Amino acid sequence: MFARLLIPFVVAAALSAPAGARELAVTPESLIPVELATVAILSGSDAPVVLLREPTSGDVVPIFIGPPEARAILMALHGVTTPRPMTHDLLQNVIDGLSARLESVVVDDLRDGTYHGALEVRVGPEDRLVRIDARPSDALALAARSGALIRVSPKVLQAGIGMEFEGLRNDQVVSAIGITVVEATDELRDALGLPDTPGVLVTNA
C-alpha cells in the first residue's frame, strides 16, 4: 500500500524533470517502430516473453517479462478490465490526470542481458518532451493500454533474431459484433488469474 501511494508522487516528480532527463543510448532517428504482437513462452522454459514485431520485415523481438507484467499485457490485449485500477492502470490514470500524454515507449539498449527502456511523455501546453527511465516490461504494459507508439533500437531488434519461442497453446481468438472470445487455456488462466475450470474468455473488443 505504501509503495502504491508513492507512485503518483514519483510520476509527478518525473514529469517535472528537465526535458531529456533520461538520455537514450542511440539517436532518436535510428529507433525503429514495432508493434506489440502477443505474449509467448520461451522454448524449453516457462519464461514469458512479449513479442514485438517489425511490420515491414516481420522480424520479431522477444522481451523477457515477469508473470505480473505478462498478465497485465494479456489483460490489455484481450480488453479485460478490473473493478479497481491495477498498477499499470493507475500509472496511465496519473499521466492522464496530469494532462500529460504517453507519446511512445522506447527499448533502446541491451546491456549484460538486460533490456533498458524509457517512457516518452508530452507535458504541458508547450508539449514538452520528458523521458522517464522504465523497465521495458512495465513500459510495454502501459503501451498496451494507451496505444502509444513502440520503438526499439537496431541493436535490440537484432538481439531477438534466432531466439525460439512458443505461442500460448490453442490461443485462438474470435472477434465479432464488438466482443472477443478466446479459449481459456492453462497459460491464459494463470496469467489472468481465472478459476481452474473449463470455459472461454469473453471480453469487450
Side-chain angles (χ1 to χ4, degrees):
M1 177 64 71
F2 180 67
R4 179 165 292 186
L5 288 173
L6 279 177
I7 289 174
F9 298 101
V10 171
V11 174
L15 294 182
S16 64
R22 199 299 202 168
E23 295 293 333
L24 296 179
V26 296
T27 62
E29 295 75 20
S30 68
L31 293 169
I32 302 166
V34 295
E35 56 189 14
L36 199 163
T38 188
V39 173
I41 302 296
L42 185 68
S43 293
S45 76
D46 292 326
V49 291
V50 58
L51 302 182
L52 306 178
R53 180 174 55 222
E54 200 284 306
T56 302
S57 66
D59 290 337
V60 172
V61 184
I63 304 288
F64 287 92
I65 56 177
E69 291 78 22
R71 177 181 179 181
I73 292 171
L74 280 171
M75 290 178 69
L77 291 177
H78 290 292
V80 178
T81 58
T82 56
R84 301 293 297 151
M86 303 298 286
T87 302
H88 298 98
D89 302 311
L90 173 61
L91 284 171
Q92 183 61 54
N93 292 342
V94 169
I95 292 173
D96 293 341
L98 293 172
S99 299
R101 173 171 53 90
L102 179 59
E103 181 175 88
S104 67
V105 163
V106 174
V107 185
D108 62 320
D109 202 7
L110 175 61
R111 300 195 303 270
D112 300 323
T114 300
Y115 289 95
H116 294 260
L119 306 177
E120 294 192 327
V121 181
R122 291 288 178 179
V123 184
E126 69 279 12
D127 220 22
R128 179 168 56 96
L129 177 65
V130 176
R131 291 195 185 95
I132 304 169
D133 194 31
R135 296 191 310 166
S137 55
D138 290 326
L140 292 169
L142 275 174
R145 283 158 174 73
S146 66
L149 178 67
I150 303 171
R151 299 184 295 163
V152 302
S153 69
K155 177 181 179 180
V156 168
L157 185 61
Q158 291 296 315
I161 295 178
M163 189 177 295
E164 296 183 358
F165 48 84
E166 303 170 0
L168 299 181
R169 291 190 295 274
N170 300 319
D171 189 18
Q172 299 297 319
V173 179
V174 178
S175 296
I177 60 171
I179 62 173
T180 297
V181 180
V182 57
E183 181 182 354
T185 63
D186 291 340
E187 292 91 344
L188 188 59
R189 194 177 291 112
D190 289 343
L192 300 182
L194 300 176
D196 189 19
T197 55
V200 295
L201 175 66
V202 181
T203 69
N204 291 331

